[in-house]
Amino acid sequence: MAYRLTEEGEEYLRKGLPEENLVKILAKGPVKLRELKEELYKFDIALAWAKKKGWVTIHDGMVKLISSPKTSEEYDALGHLDKGESIVKDVLDILVKRGLVEEIREDIYTKAEKFSGKEIGLLESELIKTGKWREVKFRHYNVSSPGQRIQIGKKHILTVFAEKARKIFLDLGFTEASGPLVESTFWCFDSLFQPQDHPARDLADTFYMKNPREVTLPNGKIVDSVKRTHEHGSDTGSIGWRYSFSEAVSKQPILRTHTTAVSARSLAQIKPPAKIFCLGRIFRNETIDYKHLAEFTQVEGIVVDENVNFRDHLGYLKEFYNRMGFEKIRFRPAYFPYTEMSVEPELYFEERGEWMEMGGSGIFRPEVVKPLLGIDCPVLAWGLGLERLIMLKYGIADIRNFYVKNDLRLLRDSTIIG
Amino acid sequence: MAVVEFEIADLEKMVGRKLTKDQLKKIEMMGFPIESLDDKKILYEVFPNRPDMLCVEGFARSVKTYLGFSKGLSKYTVKKGVIKLRVNKNVENVRPSIVAAVVRNVKLTDDLLRSLMQVQEKLHDTLGRKRKKVAIGLHDMDKVLPPFEYKAVEPDKFRFVPLDFSEEMSMREIGEKHSKGRDYIHILEDSKIWPIIMDSRGEVLSFPPIINGELTRCTEKTKNIFIDITGTDDIAVNQALNIIVTAFADRGCTIESVDISGFIKKKGVNASGVRSTPNLSPQKIKVDINYVNKLLDMTLSQKDFSNLLSKMGYDFTSGHIIAPCYRTDIMHPIDVVEDIAIAYGYENFKPKIPAVPTITKRSEKNEFNSVLRELVIGAGFQEVITTILTNEADEFIKMNKPKEEVCETKNPLTVDCSMCRLYLLPSMMRVLSHNRTNEYPQMIFEIGDVIIIDREKETGTNDVSKLCTAMCGTKVGYENLSVVIDALMRNLGIAYDLKKAQDASFIDGRCAEIWSGDRCLGVIGEIHPQVLENWNIGNPVVVFELNAEKIRGIVSKPGKTK
């Protein structure tokens, strides 16, 4: 912003500030008020400011000097401004208030005129508005250099894939479910017909909780049904595991080792037909190294319908992986305590030139379904690894990049965006 | 999960012919992935449901029918034996179950010896739950005089020479000094008396589950073997016995039964309280062919059905399926259905998508978090994802905060996983700490769950979705993020207040709480330099953490605060 002296300001510059002129007169001694009125130019202003600044008093019609200014800040400022020099904001504000100084509102034409005939860098707005862009030359830039690298906001690589997986199931008409991270052994193991002495329940693989100590079990009918099925098969047509089921063991809280716990909970609440999926964090009590973390993401899904069969199970797996960008898929027999037929899907990774297994799946055993759903009904189920898929496809060697380091260079430079 | 190792030559001998590499690979489609393969050896993975496949004899038996070299059920006969074993009631509380058998005409070649050692070790680990549920003992029968006795005795008094030693030791000493003693004595430690199997002269056959006596060590001269299987589960010991004796039978030995009397826990007891083991009778199962056809989407005839069953070692007669005695996994007709699918070949089923009419339903929480994520990305932040498991040092000490009640794990393998996070903020500090050598400014965020203790809930916990944003760089301060909060709240249509607050993680006078009406949504502030030092971060950091669930609660109410 630019400032200039007003007419009055210029006058004061020539003749001196009125209050300072008053001080000069009073230096010789007090003067009668009536006399000053006649003698002094701009007497009212002079007296007002001199009183304000504490330089004079008026008593019995006499004006007396009580304090003399040592510097003439305002007068000097006027002089500086007149020369085009800058002054202190405080003083400027006073001069503007007194009407001695005003802002120069430069005409855009005046501004634009400054560039006329020159070679310019930044194209100023005034040049466009006044049409005077015609009067300037545009300096050529080094267009082959992009300039300084910037970072932009981005999703995490895992989120990109998680959303892709999520979208696939939503497109296929699935309901998105969720469940607690701290789970009961009832929902994580017992309801899935995993015997209570199964090695997977060992401390070495599962995180047991110190706090909380216990969970509340669901309604007695379901717990009882699961218990009887474990012990002797109940009405599922199975001989069961033939051991003594402990409710106390059921109540132990753990960090869920698979999202299949969510599927178990869902079965207890729905009626067929139903298609349910869940993407969630699961936990394994393992030593952490480049291949293993204590927590990662599982893609879970179930299809519950009287008429689904083994071919449909393979069909959903194939469809999911095809849509994730994998053409070659094959299926291998496997074993899980809660599925029969059990299937391990394998994908062919072009980059590696080999087939790799991607997770577990199968048709839930009748011992799982009957106690929870209440009827015998085929339930297709899968729990697939997400991080593994990404690491194998993109050659990311160290899983700790995902949850532990979050190396910003890896994340920022990643071209995995959708 | 177990891995078994076979000499290819031995496997071929048991199968009865040479096997090509393709045939060895085809076995994978039975459900046994190859771990490694070279000219001499092959290693297969065996799942817990097929302990019969843990010995080369059992493996070859199943492979023979699967590859088509033979068909149907393998039949075994048990000769009625005269050997008796008496069980004393006092084993009831320490190790109640025992079964036994005799095998004669044994030729302990290197191959058989190798197989026996492997199957015992693998069965002990898997079916035996590290010898607790099942422990196997093999004895040169000619060194001892039946009848045998199984009882529990006082560990300090009873002495014998254990395998690999030359001096007599008390059972307690064996528990302390013998390598097997140190590994397994914990199984017996709760009891004052420990189990022993001895012959009629008081000679020790074995001290289960720890070790056999040196006396009955099997050598290449051994012709007759007494097998004892003890444990805590009657079904499991019988299953293990069946697997072992059929392996011997496949090598040309004869099987003889042993009469067990006295204390017998569970079924199989005849009128006079004597049980004869092994029981190698096949299992009879009824499976409806329509059930199979529906589940596999096939149109198998009775003949097809029979052929496929035959391939998997079953017989099919007069509407009944006969399953072999060494299969431990047949609990429900569905187990047979899987075998049929395997016999047909998983690769031969054509995948299809069925017509299951259901309508999409999205999770509101995930939908809202997606919206939130987009807004923060729009403000220029890089998403990070961190672990829910953490430790006291990171969560509280480094943050200058007192410890709060958290979800804690009992036996984590690493101390890094001793508790679940209550806040996202320490995770952001950790990421910034790891990224000290990367370009600044660093603008990061995470939307993730924390776990809080909530006794009202079924699991005693509640998962709460939080948003935490952090900025770190040379000229970073409070206003860098307060403007972001403002933009977020404006875009979400939430009227909010920033109220001065105090928090030990933040610089005094540079911290505020974000309030909407009577709800506190979160906190914002400049991180205290002590905290920066604790995390080894050399640049100022400003952060905010918001409760995404509370925000969703406000936004989802129609007509509020727009």
Side-chain angles (χ1 to χ4, degrees), chain B residues 435-488:
Chain B
N435 279 284
R436 287 196 304 279
T437 55
N438 278 325
E439 234 176 77
Y440 286 98
Q442 296 178 353
M443 296 164 61
I444 60 172
F445 81 99
E446 177 166 5
I447 298 176
D449 283 344
V450 303
I451 310 182
I452 61 173
I453 294 283
D454 185 344
R455 309 259 177 237
E456 303 288 302
K457 294 263 189 294
E458 177 204 331
T459 59
T461 63
N462 193 16
D463 303 334
V464 178
S465 197
K466 301 275 210 94
L467 159 65
C468 189
T469 304
M471 189 164 169
C472 177
T474 50
K475 290 197 196 311
V476 156
Y478 182 86
E479 215 172 274
N480 287 110
L481 282 198
S482 61
V483 295
V484 175
I485 294 253
D486 184 68
L488 279 179

Side-chain angles (χ1 to χ4, degrees), chain B residues 117-144:
Chain B
M117 280 173 65
Q118 179 170 237
V119 74
Q120 277 184 87
E121 184 200 320
K122 304 288 172 190
L123 280 176
H124 280 163
D125 273 349
T126 58
L127 185 62
R129 302 286 191 266
K130 298 218 179 355
R131 293 203 189 186
K132 178 164 187 206
K133 215 165 155 177
V134 169
I136 303 157
L138 299 180
H139 310 278
D140 186 332
M141 232 186 70
D142 298 331
K143 304 278 175 54
V144 284

Side-chain angles (χ1 to χ4, degrees), chain A residues 368-403:
Chain A
V368 173
V369 179
K370 190 94 190 274
L372 299 176
L373 191 62
I375 52 168
D376 232 324
C377 177
V379 176
L380 316 176
W382 52 83
L384 310 169
L386 193 64
E387 288 81 5
R388 186 171 161 75
L389 190 65
I390 304 167
M391 286 173 67
L392 288 171
K393 185 162 167 75
Y394 293 102
I396 296 171
D398 193 334
I399 198 171
R400 288 168 299 191
N401 271 311
F402 281 142
Y403 294 104

Side-chain angles (χ1 to χ4, degrees), chain B residues 342-376:
Chain B
I342 288 174
Y344 187 75
Y346 276 23
E347 67 275 18
N348 294 320
F349 286 89
K350 211 158 158 246
K352 69 175 180 74
I353 297 277
V356 179
T358 57
I359 297 179
T360 294
K361 188 161 185 282
R362 291 172 161 75
S363 148
E364 281 177 23
K365 170 170 156 166
N366 286 349
E367 282 297 292
F368 181 74
N369 284 351
S370 289
V371 165
L372 209 55
R373 185 178 292 115
E374 264 186 44
L375 285 176
V376 182

Side-chain angles (χ1 to χ4, degrees), chain A residues 95-156:
Chain A
L95 293 177
V96 167
K97 213 163 155 197
R98 286 181 70 166
L100 306 178
V101 158
E102 67 187 1
E103 216 189 301
I104 305 172
R105 286 193 194 283
E106 224 182 12
D107 191 43
I108 58 166
Y109 280 89
T110 323
K111 281 196 192 160
E113 191 58 41
K114 291 206 193 106
F115 297 105
S116 184
K118 299 212 169 91
E119 190 185 67
I120 61 164
L122 277 178
L123 173 56
E124 305 279 347
S125 150
E126 296 82 29
L127 286 169
I128 306 169
K129 289 178 188 165
T130 57
K132 285 191 177 279
W133 54 267
R134 295 173 174 89
E135 297 171 23
V136 303
K137 273 208 278 283
F138 293 94
R139 183 167 70 243
H140 284 200
Y141 287 157
N142 178 10
V143 294
S144 52
S145 162
Q148 198 185 29
R149 172 186 271 244
I150 61 161
Q151 304 299 344
I152 54 174
K154 269 169 90 173
K155 284 180 197 159
H156 192 284

Side-chain angles (χ1 to χ4, degrees), chain B residues 31-183:
Chain B
F32 303 96
I34 293 177
E35 174 93 353
S36 76
L37 164 62
D38 65 31
D39 289 330
K40 289 213 155 49
K41 285 203 237 288
I42 185 161
L43 275 70
Y44 284 103
E45 276 183 68
V46 173
F47 293 106
N49 63 329
R50 293 299 302 268
D52 60 297
M53 300 291 270
L54 293 173
C55 57
V56 68
E57 299 83 6
F59 201 93
R61 194 189 303 140
S62 289
V63 163
K64 257 200 312 210
T65 52
Y66 178 73
L67 291 177
F69 307 144
S70 73
K71 280 184 183 189
L73 192 72
S74 294
K75 295 186 178 67
Y76 297 93
T77 43
V78 179
K79 224 176 122 199
K80 181 97 185 73
V82 295
I83 312 290
K84 293 185 182 0
L85 170 73
R86 191 164 178 78
V87 183
N88 189 311
K89 194 174 192 315
N90 70 1
V91 298
E92 181 172 11
N93 294 321
V94 57
R95 199 166 179 81
S97 302
I98 184 167
V99 292
V102 171
V103 287
R104 297 196 186 274
N105 219 358
V106 177
K107 276 182 232 29
L108 266 184
T109 57
D110 281 346
D111 284 341
L112 178 55
L113 203 54
R114 192 184 307 116
S115 178
L116 288 172
M117 280 173 65
Q118 179 170 237
V119 74
Q120 277 184 87
E121 184 200 320
K122 304 288 172 190
L123 280 176
H124 280 163
D125 273 349
T126 58
L127 185 62
R129 302 286 191 266
K130 298 218 179 355
R131 293 203 189 186
K132 178 164 187 206
K133 215 165 155 177
V134 169
I136 303 157
L138 299 180
H139 310 278
D140 186 332
M141 232 186 70
D142 298 331
K143 304 278 175 54
V144 284
L145 190 65
F148 302 122
E149 195 184 357
Y150 177 54
K151 64 183 185 185
V153 295
E154 281 179 49
D156 295 298
K157 294 213 178 115
F158 210 89
R159 304 174 71 81
F160 71 98
V161 181
L163 199 64
D164 294 331
F165 281 55
S166 52
E167 301 276 298
E168 259 193 6
M169 294 164 75
S170 75
M171 288 162 87
R172 191 172 310 273
E173 282 172 334
I174 293 170
E176 284 159 12
K177 297 196 183 118
H178 198 289
S179 63
K180 295 287 180 237
R182 284 195 292 271
D183 288 340

Side-chain angles (χ1 to χ4, degrees), chain B residues 304-561:
Chain B
D304 298 324
F305 196 46
S306 182
N307 286 337
L308 289 170
L309 285 168
S310 180
K311 201 169 162 184
M312 300 307 286
Y314 296 88
D315 267 355
F316 183 54
T317 54
S318 33
H320 275 96
I321 294 174
I322 318 292
C325 59
Y326 51 81
R327 288 291 294 264
T328 60
D329 60 312
I330 319 272
M331 289 192 285
H332 181 286
I334 192 70
D335 294 298
V336 177
V337 179
E338 183 179 81
D339 273 337
I340 293 184
I342 288 174
Y344 187 75
Y346 276 23
E347 67 275 18
N348 294 320
F349 286 89
K350 211 158 158 246
K352 69 175 180 74
I353 297 277
V356 179
T358 57
I359 297 179
T360 294
K361 188 161 185 282
R362 291 172 161 75
S363 148
E364 281 177 23
K365 170 170 156 166
N366 286 349
E367 282 297 292
F368 181 74
N369 284 351
S370 289
V371 165
L372 209 55
R373 185 178 292 115
E374 264 186 44
L375 285 176
V376 182
I377 287 176
F381 291 81
Q382 165 68 55
E383 186 180 21
V384 298
I385 301 185
T386 60
T387 57
I388 290 175
L389 284 166
T390 183
N391 57 77
E392 192 180 330
D394 283 359
E395 188 79 358
F396 300 113
I397 299 174
K398 285 186 187 164
M399 302 305 298
N400 240 5
K401 300 281 278 280
K403 184 161 191 245
E404 295 177 57
E405 194 189 7
V406 290
C407 291
E408 281 180 77
T409 56
K410 237 187 224 175
N411 277 34
L413 285 181
T414 56
V415 72
D416 282 348
C417 301
S418 54
M419 50 164 272
C420 301
R421 69 185 175 195
L422 213 47
Y423 302 102
L424 278 187
L425 175 46
S427 298
M428 297 299 101
M429 301 304 288
R430 197 185 299 128
V431 172
L432 293 173
S433 189
H434 278 302
N435 279 284
R436 287 196 304 279
T437 55
N438 278 325
E439 234 176 77
Y440 286 98
Q442 296 178 353
M443 296 164 61
I444 60 172
F445 81 99
E446 177 166 5
I447 298 176
D449 283 344
V450 303
I451 310 182
I452 61 173
I453 294 283
D454 185 344
R455 309 259 177 237
E456 303 288 302
K457 294 263 189 294
E458 177 204 331
T459 59
T461 63
N462 193 16
D463 303 334
V464 178
S465 197
K466 301 275 210 94
L467 159 65
C468 189
T469 304
M471 189 164 169
C472 177
T474 50
K475 290 197 196 311
V476 156
Y478 182 86
E479 215 172 274
N480 287 110
L481 282 198
S482 61
V483 295
V484 175
I485 294 253
D486 184 68
L488 279 179
M489 293 294 144
R490 240 187 309 126
N491 277 279
L492 291 166
I494 299 176
Y496 75 99
D497 288 304
L498 287 168
K499 293 188 189 167
K500 189 168 159 144
Q502 266 192 315
D503 185 312
S505 300
F506 298 107
I507 297 174
D508 198 26
R510 299 187 183 190
C511 171
E513 280 174 352
I514 301 118
W515 284 80
S516 173
D518 60 354
R519 257 178 284 203
C520 181
L521 302 179
V523 71
I524 173 177
E526 285 187 23
I527 297 287
H528 196 287
Q530 177 62 66
V531 175
L532 294 177
E533 254 182 35
N534 295 342
W535 284 100
N536 227 334
I537 297 170
N539 278 316
V541 174
V542 58
V543 295
F544 68 75
E545 180 161 339
L546 296 173
N547 185 320
E549 317 252 351
K550 284 190 185 167
I551 294 177
R552 174 161 62 100
I554 299 171
V555 169
S556 63
K557 282 194 170 56
K560 210 156 199 225
T561 68

